[in-house]
């Protein structure tokens, strides 16, 4: 979510709602425990960070993965 | 009078899921899938074609044999459970979305039974026994409020409150915990039906149906967009079909619980 920082003081936190299937939530929780994330929210933030970093370092692979996801 | 197409499809998906957020996500996921499939073809020429492609793609995703890739649109669509029955789809498209018999047949073809039989079956679902279900009406015009009460009582829903202002509406919702709220968007005075709903929705979450003469003003896709909109002048069967769907559709308890705690 983009915010215009010059208009208003920056909000410190934003609550997001996401919808995932039960099986997907299990995958997130498994990742959380394998990687010792402090909470589900922390695990999801880490996964987002990884996704963003991979997009920067390997855009071709990200493109391929997204294409596979759309075609699934 | 018709809603714009994208709002119309969101409305349809909200009716199917009886949940604004889930319905909108379903509408986006199925639309994305349909666009993906038709990306080299012509865009839909009209409203009927949009709906036809939407329903067709939804059916195809549900019928796929392979397990969908986790976190894909297909996985999300499949996690919603089975599609509503043909009778329910006919009822929704005809009575709530306002399509003609010929248009509904075009959207849903091939139908497994004659159209009239499906519509009769769909309308009988409206009157099926739901036990004691209650409704709150927030409407500032007494004649319309009384008419809505008759429409609800005709289908066996008990009207537990009739509020004339946003403040009264919020108070009565908290006091009576209705299973469903019908609210006029344009209440007399400063506040709208959205204000009434915003005032109680955190404490008492239930489906809300807005009735308005100005759907373009209400369905803007922003944060205060209501769950469900019926365009004035309404037809009694449209109100009954929408109420029946909202009362019947399973609520997504896990999502509601997460929304309350704000936790991911």
């Amino acid at each position: 979510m983009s915010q215009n920082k010059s208009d208003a003081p920056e909000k410190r936190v934003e609550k997001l709602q996401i919808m995932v299937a039960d099986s997907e939530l299990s995958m997130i929780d498994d990742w959380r425990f394998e990687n010792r994330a402090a909470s589900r929210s922390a695990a999801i933030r880490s996964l987002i960070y990884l996704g963003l970093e991979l997009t920067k370092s390997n855009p071709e692979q990200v493109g391929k993965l997204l294409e596979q996801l759309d075609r699934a | 009078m018709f809603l714009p197409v994208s709002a119309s499809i969101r409305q349809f998906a909200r009716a199917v899921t009886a949940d604004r957020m889930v319905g909108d996500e379903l509408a986006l996921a199925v639309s994305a899938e349909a666009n993906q499939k038709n990306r080299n073809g012509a865009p839909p020429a009209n409203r009927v074609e949009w709906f036809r492609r939407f329903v067709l793609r939804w059916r195809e995703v549900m019928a796929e044999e392979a397990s969908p890739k986790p976190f894909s649109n297909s996985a999300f669509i499949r996690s919603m459970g089975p599609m509503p029955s043909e009778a329910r789809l006919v009822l929704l498209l005809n009575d709530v979305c306002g399509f003609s018999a010929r248009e509904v047949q075009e959207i849903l073809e091939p139908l497994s039974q004659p159209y009239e039989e499906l519509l009769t079956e769909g309308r009988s679902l409206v009157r099926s026994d739901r036990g004691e279900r209650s409704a709150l009406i927030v409407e500032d015009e007494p004649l319309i409020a009384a008419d809505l009460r008759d429409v609800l009582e005709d289908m066996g829903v008990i009207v537990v409150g009739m509020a004339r202002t946003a403040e009264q509406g919020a108070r009565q919702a908290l006091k009576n915990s209705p299973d469903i709220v019908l609210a006029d968007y344009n209440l007399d005075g400063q506040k709208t039906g959205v204000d009434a709903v915003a005032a109680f929705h955190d404490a008492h979450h239930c489906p809300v149906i807005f009735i308005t003469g100005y759907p373009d003003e209400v369905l803007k896709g922003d944060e205060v967009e209501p769950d469900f909109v019926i365009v004035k002048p309404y037809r009694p069967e449209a109100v009954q079909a929408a109420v029946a769907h909202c009362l019947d559709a399973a609520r997504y308890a896990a999502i509601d619980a997460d929304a309350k705690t704000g936790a991911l």
Side-chain angles (χ1 to χ4, degrees), chain A residues 15-22 24-25 27-28 40-41 44 65 67-72, chain B residues 21-22 25 33 36 64 68-76 79 255 258-259 261-262 264:
Chain A
K15 288 179 187 170
L16 298 182
Q17 284 190 327
I18 61 167
M19 279 173 276
V20 293
D22 283 348
E24 293 164 349
L25 191 57
M27 293 169 73
I28 294 171
R40 192 180 270 170
S41 182
I44 292 170
L65 285 169
E67 208 172 298
Q68 283 168 16
L69 190 64
D70 286 342
R71 273 203 215 128
Chain B
M21 187 179 166
V22 177
E25 197 74 10
E33 282 294 298
Q36 173 79 8
E64 278 164 7
K69 218 173 178 61
F71 303 101
S72 63
N73 284 325
S74 303
F76 178 76
S79 70
I255 290 167
D258 274 356
T261 58
L264 273 175

